Amino acid sequence: MNAPDRYERFVVPEGTKKVSYERDTKIVNAAAFTIEREEHTVGNILRMQLHRDPNVLFAGYKLPHPLQYKIIVRIQTTSQSSPTQAYTQAIDDLDKELDYLKKSFEDEKNREEEKLRRGY
Amino acid sequence: MESDKPPAKGYRTDQKSTRSSIALKKIVHELHHVPGLVGGIVEKGFSSSGNGNSSTGIPSTIPLPRPTVFPFPVARRRSHGPHWTPLGSAPIEAEEGDMEEDKDETDYDPIASYANPIERKEKKPLDFSKWKEFVSQDGISLPQSNNVAKADAGRKREVKKSIVLNSPSSTSNSVCKPEKDQILSSELMNGSVSKKFMLTTEPKSLASKLESEEADESGVGSASAISSIAAWTDKGSDRGDIEKSEVNCHGSSSFMDDIDAENLSLLKNMSAEEISEAQNEILDKMNPSVIEMLKKRGQSKLRSRKVIGQEESDGRQKVSSIKPVDSGKSARLVDPSGVWTSKIESNNSSWKSWSERVEKVRSLRFSLDGDVLGADSTHNILNGGGSKVRPYNAENVTERDLLRTEGDPAAAGYTINEAVALTRSMIPGQRAIALHLIVSILNKALCNLQQMDNDSHHVRGKNPSDNLVDWQAVWAFALGPEPQMTISLRIALDDNHDSVVLACVKAIQSILCFDINENFFDFSEKFTTSKKNTFTAPVFRSRPDIDGGFLHGGYWKYNTKSSNILPNNDQHNEDDESEGNHTIQDDIFVSEQDVAAGLVRMGILPRICCLLEMDPLAVLEESLLSIVVAIARHSPTCADAIWKCPSLIQTVVKIFTKHVLGEPYPSQIKVVLLLKVLSEANKQICWDFVKCGLFQQVMLNWCKPFSSLERWMESGRENCKLTSALMVQQLRLWKVCIQYGFCITHFTDFFTDLCLWLSPPMFNKLIGNNLLSEFTSITREAYLVLEALAEKLPALHAGEQINNQSIGFSDDTSEAWSWSHVGSMVDMAVSWLQLRDIPYICSLTSDSKKNVNHLEFASISCIIWVISAVLHMLCGVFHKVAPNIHDELDHKITSLPRLSKSVPNVGLNLIKNGFLNFSGSSKLVFEACSTETRSLVNLLCLLRQQGDFDVSLSSSSCLHALVQLALLIDDSVKRARNFNDTQSFSESMSGLHEKILNVGLIKSAHNELEEVLSMFMDVVSSEQQILQSLEMFDRGGPAPGIGFGWGSCGGGFWSLNVLLAQTDARLILSLLHNISVIFEHDQTQIKATESVSYQPDQMLTLQRIDSTLRLSLLAGPGDETILEKTWDYLFQASVMKYLGSFVAQYLCHTKVSSSFDWHYGDDDYYLFSKMLDSHYKERWLIAKRKTISEMNNNKRYKTRHALETIQEIEPHSGFSRDQATNALMVEWAHQRLPLPMHWFLSAICIMGDARRISTCLPTDLDVAKSGLFFLLGLEVSSIYLCSSSAESPISGIPLIWKLHALSMALSQNMDVLMEEKSMDIFKTLQDIYGQHIDEKLQGFTNSLPETKNTVSLEILNFRAIHDSYSTFVEHVAEQFCALSYGDIIYGRQVAVYLHRTVEPTIRLSMWNALSNLGGLELLPPIEMCIANAEGYLEPVEDREDILESYSKSWTSGILTKAALRGSISFTIAAHHLSSCLFNTNTPQKVAFRNKLVKTLLRSHLQKPQEEAMLLSLLRNGLTTSEDPTYKSEAARRLTVLKEACGGNYSLLALLEKLEPLV
């Protein structure tokens, strides 16, 4: 009925940033990142990665409403780090990890193909 | 009707003619259909006709009578038979069985394919669960048999199977004779043994005969024939009988027996050669392995049957003895209760115990006057011990009872079900007796319920099972889930014997609780006109859901949808086909839910109309009218149904006019009552009455006045009684019309006649003639009518007619009244104020020492009622004199000097006659007030405390009127002083009494009124529990009857206790209106300083707040305005301020929490009061309205062809609850009152309301903050109060609710914790609740060891809030992990769910949720949590699933961080795991422990960096390494671990490495 259009799920509206950052005023080294047009897929993996970081004291995400296509990631770190740092670090690590995954997958695939070719 | 089939001699064993086989087949058919015929009589316990006899060679000449349980000609339902067995019940699966030429298939198959067999529904013993489910669509969502086709298909195969079933035994017989024969014959023997219970002696002799004929082939044939005959005889005699289930040991149905019989007969008609041929044929066709298997199976079955057989039949016996007769259906096995109780979701334990109580009633036996017969007989039946149904033989045949077919027929008395079955007897006398029995059972039950009500002050909380008879359960069972009673009553009403009809009508009258309800309504009618009556239809609350924060107290709904009561109402013109869809099943469904609705649905009204037209006996007529009245009181729909029932009203009015010229006639009273009730129910009906002249007709003999009292008294006492009762009803009818604004002009006609009753009479003569109560009841009603008239007065000084008539009626229908008559009215009222002239009162007031004589109670209450009515009338008039108390100041008191004089006149009379005591007033000292006399107020208080119900009610009501009147007089006098010349005014007020008047009545009598207030507050605090037990269950709880029977303890809402409590509540309210909630002394203190120290004895204000809370709990439906007023007092800014200062003081004096800065300004308090007031009113008082879409649907339905228009959204204009303007009756449905105990938590829960969060109002946060503040205030005050009063409404609320409310506030967002002040409040509340938990735990550990077992440790059983509470817990955990930043207060709130006193399922789901989301490390350390640390750790966890989930979190490394941070989660896991590892000694647990050890060690093998965790696990519970026991203990632990490793080398190596570290 009055649900938003489909494309709203993945098209970031003009004038808004994909990721926005807001520092928490009450707690030190804490911030909330609003990631537009993402949902549990990104939220969960990001949170899990952040949990691996020993400097991260708190990491959680929330989908405020099923029809509001954004997630809010809240991060708090120790004084050795900062939320932004932890956030980028986590994304970098995820990037690397996924790259590695992709690479090893492709390697394996190539090896199999090689095997098949040799077999003929 | 008998089946006079001649005994067929054709099937002797040796006869082989085909003719006989045809004859036999015919018999099979006949027998099969006999029970189907209407009224077929089959005697129970005897083999039918002479079949059995013929086989033994004894010809029977006289066919024995064969009654069934279905003797009364009743339309037979298809479901009564033939019955179908599920496929699985065939004991042997055969692959192929069509070796025989099965002729019978041709007979059955066509039927099978065309018949539409109805799968019999599995019947539950007491299926309450249906009531609990919300009726989704029109109530016709009846469970339909969906496996019809399956049964149909199964039928064919069954035939074959049973053939196969037979054939192997005979084949085996021929194949290996000596051995198999034994099996066969013993199998047959076994069959007959199992049949022994019901077979008469003949089969037994057959069996013995069989034994002698061993190994003879023809003998086999005969044996099978015999058994087949036996099967038929069963078949014939007990279709629909109890023994059926016993015969069919392995559950095969009667149908199976039929097939079996036919097969056997076929077999018998074959020659030996034929048989062997056929057997060979089968053997050829069959796989040898299958045959082997079948043989084995037969043997094993035989063996097992021998063992089980006896037990099983015993079990059956037991079960079937408590089976109902079940209106002619054959008995089915009662499901074990566990099956259906598991369906019921909420309140499991209490619900289960309740259903057990109800189930017990099934076996209760009643004597003919309704008493329960000795517990011994019922005990036997329940135990099944000595209550076997013996087979009838020549000796005990006299015990046989043709009328009772279940259980133990020889036992004395009848069970309810037996009585119901008896109402369908053929003999009218028996039907009448059965109905009389039902009447007396119902009356006894009601009587005892009422007794409970009266005694409830003393025995509240007593275990109902202690009573000899659980009448509450009896009542519930009678009305209960099995609808036979209603249907039988409805059928009996169609009887053509007057005695039966009369008995039936009486039964219906008592099943509708007419008398007791009428008594209740009679009382409530005595009050004031503002009190509305309520509809009596049974209702239930809508289930709590997460949107409402799981708070109970949802909207009420009717048990039956109104569309179900009159199913043809709407669709009448639609399509006639739909009518065919309504079956009796629907009627049953409706009457299961609601007896009265079921009766109406089954067309009781046209039948009553018909009976009334036949000019019945006077008694019958009166009872019939009573039923109609009871139905009219049921619900708006029912009232409507009566109104629309053709010619019912005309007939009723005819009854009235028939007797109008003669003596008054009892039925006339009922007629007027009916008209009144109908008028109350609907304004339209009332208007129609007036329009078509019914009102004039009914009031006709009002114009036949008695010229004087003497003449009235001369007419005889009986006559006086009748006239008085009739006049009371007529006056009430008139009052109803007046309240609607009709018939006011009749005043001039009636007033002259009224005058006779309005002035004080010659009391001596009245008392001499013993007519005081009759006279006073007329006077009382007359004054109440005048009060109603006074409300229709135009405001005296407004100068304009008040035009307050409501919707839908043009102004000409309603009339205003003029002031010209008021003067004389008031004069007469004043004459009643001369207390010295009134007997009883005069003597009691003149001497303060005199005690109230118990004998005088009745007379006293009569007079007090009159005084109360007079005072109320004066109130009504004065209210119009000074219309609005808070009116603008610019109007003048000018006109009607006589009236303006009358106000002070009444005031002076009040003073002179000692209504109030002014002696305590400090400002004025009056010598006139001597101590010898006591004031009326004093007397009334005394009477309230000592008197019976009537006196208490009347005095409470009178006090209420007095206080209100005094207030109005004060107000008028004050205004008069303001606007008149002050000088002249005070000159006119020179006397002593005038001075008082000048100062103000209330002010002068302040001291006495405060005494009254405190007394009544005490009274109310003892009364507040009354309504608490009202909602034990949702649907189908205690007695889903009507009115009185509806509620729980002692009649619930319909008990007079509640009425009294509500009256008291009203009085307190009006006193609070005069005396501020805040005690004056406290008020000044608050003003003086912020933080004052309150002495414990100065708790008056707290007590007042406390009792205001209690008052809120007492409000029932229709009391919304009263509740609004109560909350206006409660949520004043000053009260908030008082609470605030109190909390501040508490924080200063206790060290419970780090005392924070408690500074709230006046603005804050004002905001709190505003927020709370509006929130609570909106949350609890707004009536449910149809949603717009629903209204759309309705409209569309009516005007189908009209264009759809966009509905305008109706603005929610304030609190529009005035839906009831159309009626003077109040519906329970569509509103929320009475409130649940924890209603004030709703303000906090609003934060978690998912529905509101989408339209998130900024005020919600403010409301939640105010709610937190208010809760803290109440908690603190309850801490101070708990020493003085027994149980305050705050501390009485279970702790789970408070903790739940706090969690609820955090479940959507944590805005509440964002602000510092509310965060502090939150924390303080948590601390207080932590203390509560500790106290309770302390109490538990201190309790005696034997009680410990019975009392569960689960103090915080959150599942009582909602069944799916674990889902909510997971949601909270999710929120906590998503956005808390590890906030400590939030963490405390989450951690409380890990407390050891929380039930395991909730704990487990909280732990798992946190573990999955990585939130375990965020929890605070154990010292910072709510309640003491021991509560989380002790006693040691013993549930394996929880320990496993601890170890899972441990091994998966989630606890690593938690260990670093010292979070509570690690402490808990380490403690419980180590206790499990090192303190397990029971052998069952050792395996589990070893498994646990291995998992833990293996995980540490992979993660060597977590050595510290393992060490802490090892050292857990040990103090220091210096301790001498430390070494030995540590060594012991290590050895335990080593043992558990089971020789795994790598694990042992790990331990080796660990050893030096320990």
Side-chain angles (χ1 to χ4, degrees), chain B residues 802-1004:
Chain B
I802 287 185
N803 202 355
N804 55 355
Q805 292 313 308
S806 55
I807 350 136
F809 293 90
S810 55
D811 282 336
D812 57 353
T813 63
S814 54
E815 307 122 28
W817 198 42
S818 73
W819 279 93
S820 52
H821 309 288
V822 177
S824 48
M825 256 166 60
V826 172
D827 284 345
M828 267 189 264
V830 167
S831 62
W832 274 97
L833 297 182
Q834 313 297 326
L835 291 184
R836 288 187 187 90
D837 301 338
I838 299 173
Y840 301 116
I841 303 288
C842 149
S843 63
L844 284 170
T845 48
S846 59
D847 186 6
S848 61
K849 308 283 185 299
K850 192 170 177 183
N851 273 328
V852 188
N853 189 349
H854 283 264
L855 296 173
E856 290 167 351
F857 271 165
S859 319
I860 291 174
S861 74
C862 292
I863 289 171
I864 294 178
W865 276 121
V866 174
I867 296 175
S868 159
V870 167
L871 292 175
H872 274 296
M873 194 276 276
L874 288 173
C875 278
V877 173
F878 289 171
H879 201 71
K880 292 293 174 183
V881 172
N884 202 346
I885 294 166
H886 306 292
D887 218 357
E888 68 288 0
L889 299 171
D890 55 27
H891 70 226
K892 294 170 189 170
I893 295 176
T894 47
S895 60
L896 289 172
R898 187 165 162 237
L899 263 173
S900 57
K901 253 182 217 163
S902 78
V903 177
N905 183 26
V906 170
L908 286 178
N909 265 304
L910 290 185
I911 298 163
K912 273 180 200 156
N913 288 303
F915 274 71
L916 293 151
N917 182 8
F918 303 104
S919 57
S921 180
S922 54
K923 284 182 193 164
L924 308 152
V925 183
F926 302 109
E927 58 279 6
C929 298
S930 61
T931 47
E932 267 103 64
T933 62
R934 67 171 135 205
S935 66
L936 185 69
V937 171
N938 192 334
L939 174 67
L940 290 177
C941 286
L942 198 70
L943 289 174
R944 169 66 189 84
Q945 281 171 312
Q946 294 180 358
D948 57 0
F949 266 125
D950 204 13
V951 175
S952 305
L953 273 174
S954 57
S955 28
S956 192
S957 158
C958 191
L959 272 175
H960 183 210
L962 185 58
V963 171
Q964 276 192 326
L965 186 62
L967 184 74
L968 282 168
I969 292 173
D970 277 358
D971 190 60
S972 303
V973 169
K974 208 170 97 190
R975 283 206 219 166
R977 208 175 42 226
N978 283 350
F979 293 107
N980 285 18
D981 181 10
T982 323
Q983 192 60 39
S984 66
F985 195 83
S986 19
E987 266 172 21
S988 69
M989 301 242 173
S990 53
L992 183 63
H993 301 307
E994 285 79 359
K995 249 186 210 162
I996 297 176
L997 198 61
N998 206 3
V999 171
L1001 291 171
I1002 299 285
K1003 216 171 180 183
S1004 316

Side-chain angles (χ1 to χ4, degrees), chain A residues 24 26-27 30-32 47-48 50-54 56-62 65 72 74-76, chain B residues 1253-1254 1308-1310 1313-1315 1374-1382 1412-1415 1417-1418 1457 1461:
Chain A
D24 195 288
K26 291 192 177 147
I27 308 164
R47 178 190 62 181
M48 284 332 217
L50 282 165
H51 278 170
R52 290 187 191 171
D53 189 341
V56 170
L57 292 175
F58 177 88
Y61 79 99
K62 184 181 172 156
H65 192 270
I72 298 166
R74 290 193 173 194
I75 304 173
Q76 190 195 0
Chain B
I1253 218 76
S1254 50
Q1308 287 295 338
N1309 52 45
M1310 49 184 296
L1313 297 181
M1314 284 297 123
E1315 202 198 27
E1374 205 173 287
Q1375 291 298 316
F1376 174 65
C1377 296
L1379 38 75
S1380 70
Y1381 286 127
N1412 292 338
L1413 297 164
E1417 73 218 38
L1418 301 175
K1457 266 192 191 174
R1461 293 194 193 179

Side-chain angles (χ1 to χ4, degrees), chain B residues 426-677:
Chain B
M426 279 213 318
I427 305 156
Q430 290 177 344
R431 275 175 266 155
I433 280 191
L435 287 166
H436 279 301
L437 174 59
I438 290 173
V439 171
S440 43
I441 292 173
L442 289 174
N443 281 343
K444 269 270 155 61
L446 277 181
C447 212
N448 282 287
L449 282 176
Q450 208 172 20
Q451 197 61 42
M452 269 168 67
D453 181 24
N454 294 341
D455 297 346
S456 54
H457 285 310
H458 317 295
V459 295
R460 193 170 291 285
K462 196 176 142 194
N463 191 357
S465 61
D466 296 348
N467 297 341
L468 203 59
V469 182
D470 190 358
W471 287 106
Q472 215 179 334
V474 170
W475 181 257
F477 185 83
L479 290 167
E482 291 177 41
Q484 298 136 12
M485 174 89 88
T486 327
I487 287 176
S488 301
L489 287 177
R490 177 64 193 90
I491 290 169
L493 199 62
D494 286 340
D495 209 292
N496 46 10
H497 283 263
D498 277 352
S499 60
V500 178
V501 172
L502 183 59
C504 170
V505 164
K506 289 275 178 207
I508 295 178
Q509 198 182 337
S510 37
I511 213 171
L512 297 176
C513 325
F514 174 78
D515 293 322
I516 290 181
N517 280 352
E518 213 46 52
N519 187 29
F520 175 84
F521 286 120
D522 193 44
F523 268 112
S524 67
E525 199 102 24
K526 283 181 190 171
F527 288 114
T528 63
T529 48
S530 60
K531 169 77 184 166
K532 289 177 172 183
N533 279 336
T534 32
F535 284 111
T536 58
V539 284
F540 69 102
R541 289 242 205 226
S542 57
R543 293 180 63 84
D545 56 355
I546 179 72
D547 287 344
F550 291 134
L551 284 187
H552 290 225
Y555 287 113
W556 294 100
K557 294 173 185 170
Y558 283 118
N559 271 10
T560 321
K561 275 191 159 191
S562 55
S563 56
N564 275 351
I565 299 177
L566 294 173
N568 302 332
N569 213 9
D570 298 339
Q571 302 124 342
H572 207 64
N573 311 325
E574 274 272 310
D575 43 349
D576 292 334
E577 290 158 28
S578 70
E579 260 175 59
N581 294 335
H582 296 298
T583 63
I584 197 170
Q585 192 63 40
D586 305 349
D587 294 346
I588 289 174
F589 187 75
V590 171
S591 48
E592 258 176 23
Q593 293 174 330
D594 182 346
V595 174
L599 286 172
V600 173
R601 192 188 159 97
M602 289 188 273
I604 196 179
L605 290 175
R607 176 64 188 161
I608 287 178
C609 181
C610 174
L611 284 172
L612 284 175
E613 275 168 358
M614 287 193 299
D615 203 11
L617 294 171
V619 196
L620 182 59
E621 191 177 77
E622 212 186 325
S623 296
L624 284 171
L625 286 170
S626 309
I627 293 176
V628 182
V629 171
I631 291 174
R633 285 204 193 278
H634 177 268
S635 64
T637 329
C638 284
D640 211 39
I642 292 171
W643 175 239
K644 284 184 181 148
C645 180
S647 77
L648 180 60
I649 298 292
Q650 284 86 326
T651 317
V652 165
V653 174
K654 228 175 270 166
I655 290 171
F656 185 87
T657 47
K658 200 166 59 185
H659 303 286
V660 82
L661 293 173
E663 300 282 284
Y665 190 67
S667 294
Q668 284 183 315
I669 300 166
K670 290 275 160 66
V671 171
V672 183
L673 177 63
L674 174 63
L675 293 185
K676 190 206 79 182
V677 172

Side-chain angles (χ1 to χ4, degrees), chain B residues 1273-1284:
Chain B
L1274 291 181
E1275 285 296 341
V1276 168
S1277 70
S1278 84
I1279 289 170
Y1280 278 81
L1281 261 182
C1282 65
S1283 52
S1284 57

Side-chain angles (χ1 to χ4, degrees), chain B residues 159-173:
Chain B
V159 175
K160 291 173 184 170
K161 261 183 236 157
S162 63
I163 291 162
V164 178
L165 187 96
N166 275 321
S167 44
S169 58
S170 45
T171 47
S172 60
N173 202 357

